[in-house]
Amino acid sequence: TAHARELAAMRRVLVHAFPARRPRAIALVDVGAREVTTFLDDEIAPALRRLSEYDIIGAVGVRALLRELGVDPGERRLAELGPPQKTLQLNRRGRTLRITTALLVQGSCGISRPFGDERTMGEYWRIGAQAKLRRRLEADARSLYALYQYGRLHGCVRLRWGFLDEMLPAPWVHRDESTLYHLLKEAHERQLPLEVVVGSAPGCADPWARARRAFVAPNAWYPPALLADEQGYEISRADVQLARML
């Protein structure tokens, strides 16, 4: 649709800050360019002026963070990257799991340590280890980017914990945006193969390095249901990190 094309063309930026209250360091991720840039202390204010170039600003606790940074989003769309729900009941006795952003990154993107330890990062700041702080902040921002892109592809994010493997809606994805479902449907109708990246989130430098060919296998009840590799083995749709038509 025209709205889907309009959404796809929007310039998007993700903001990650340390600490979330009274930030001393921020990372900006240009989603389209897959570029992460970090800024410390006096560099922050000039960097924030760049946000005016974007149509969509995403962050965990996006409204609160922009208030902390003194940024008025104006007419820009805001993408909330925090968990769509706080807890999940595990059993009838009322045992609950607290859902965190880290848990969703691990489940969706296969990144085992998505975010740095706040105390360690605070120590980096205290002793002036700026290079270490920037590296960790950049890694944290890449984890958020991986989660954001997984959500855009699937329209949801994956929660995996113990026996649990559930999909939760990604609040930053507009219902008109094109997702993997739409791509598979089109590939099925046009009988075209796909290129997919499966498993853990790809690196930003060469995201298609691990790409492999895949095919939509029609299913009598619910096309397109199955995705298969060149040997005919099923690829779990939830494991797909990137997909495009060939």
Side-chain angles (χ1 to χ4, degrees), residues 165-184:
D165 190 346
E166 294 201 9
M167 300 301 259
L168 304 176
W172 58 90
V173 182
H174 192 281
R175 66 178 178 274
D176 287 348
E177 289 195 69
S178 183
T179 63
L180 180 62
Y181 172 80
H182 300 105
L183 187 65
L184 295 183

Side-chain angles (χ1 to χ4, degrees), residues 12-23:
R12 301 159 190 254
V13 65
L14 309 182
V15 185
H16 182 61
F18 170 79
R21 299 286 302 275
R22 299 175 68 186

Side-chain angles (χ1 to χ4, degrees), residues 9-246:
M10 286 184 171
R11 293 200 65 197
R12 301 159 190 254
V13 65
L14 309 182
V15 185
H16 182 61
F18 170 79
R21 299 286 302 275
R22 299 175 68 186
R24 309 301 299 269
I26 67 163
L28 299 184
V29 187
D30 183 306
V31 174
R34 303 191 304 275
E35 286 177 359
V36 184
T37 320
T38 57
F39 306 92
L40 306 184
D41 251 359
D42 295 344
E43 302 165 346
I44 293 177
L48 291 174
R49 289 198 278 276
R50 295 187 187 189
L51 296 182
S52 62
E53 301 168 14
Y54 295 91
D55 306 302
I56 299 174
I57 302 172
V60 174
V62 62
R63 291 181 189 281
L65 179 58
L66 292 180
R67 275 198 303 273
E68 286 285 337
L69 294 169
V71 173
D72 177 6
E75 296 298 305
R76 283 169 202 83
R77 294 176 185 236
L78 300 181
E80 175 53 64
L81 306 190
Q85 63 189 70
K86 298 276 193 293
T87 59
L88 187 74
Q89 189 168 318
L90 296 175
N91 56 31
R92 289 179 184 175
R93 294 195 301 276
R95 189 182 172 209
T96 57
L97 172 69
R98 190 169 76 88
I99 301 170
T100 63
T101 306
L103 207 53
L104 294 177
V105 175
Q106 288 164 351
S108 304
C109 311
I111 301 171
S112 58
R113 187 171 168 251
F115 302 114
D117 177 67
E118 293 252 333
R119 248 183 284 182
T120 304
M121 292 173 78
E123 185 63 13
Y124 290 159
W125 178 263
R126 195 183 65 77
I127 65 173
Q130 291 195 357
K132 285 184 176 178
L133 181 60
R134 284 184 194 272
R135 271 199 304 275
R136 186 63 248 187
L137 195 66
E138 190 171 308
D140 289 3
R142 289 192 192 283
S143 294
L144 268 189
Y145 168 79
L147 181 70
Y148 181 73
Q149 292 294 76
Y150 185 93
R152 285 181 76 194
L153 180 66
H154 292 272
C156 46
V157 289
R158 193 174 184 183
L159 175 64
R160 285 192 283 182
W161 188 85
F163 59 88
L164 267 183
D165 190 346
E166 294 201 9
M167 300 301 259
L168 304 176
W172 58 90
V173 182
H174 192 281
R175 66 178 178 274
D176 287 348
E177 289 195 69
S178 183
T179 63
L180 180 62
Y181 172 80
H182 300 105
L183 187 65
L184 295 183
K185 195 163 184 284
E186 188 181 350
H188 172 64
E189 286 165 359
R190 295 172 63 185
Q191 296 189 307
L192 289 173
L194 294 158
E195 194 172 34
V196 297
V197 176
V198 179
S200 58
C204 286
D206 187 5
W208 295 96
R210 291 189 281 116
R212 55 205 252 216
R213 280 165 75 92
F215 304 87
V216 179
N219 179 295
W221 297 282
Y222 189 57
L226 293 177
L227 194 58
D229 66 13
E230 289 186 287
Q231 283 74 45
Y233 293 108
E234 185 181 350
I235 296 170
S236 168
R237 279 162 60 175
D239 289 339
V240 176
Q241 299 287 333
L242 281 178
R244 62 186 176 187
M245 220 167 329
L246 286 173

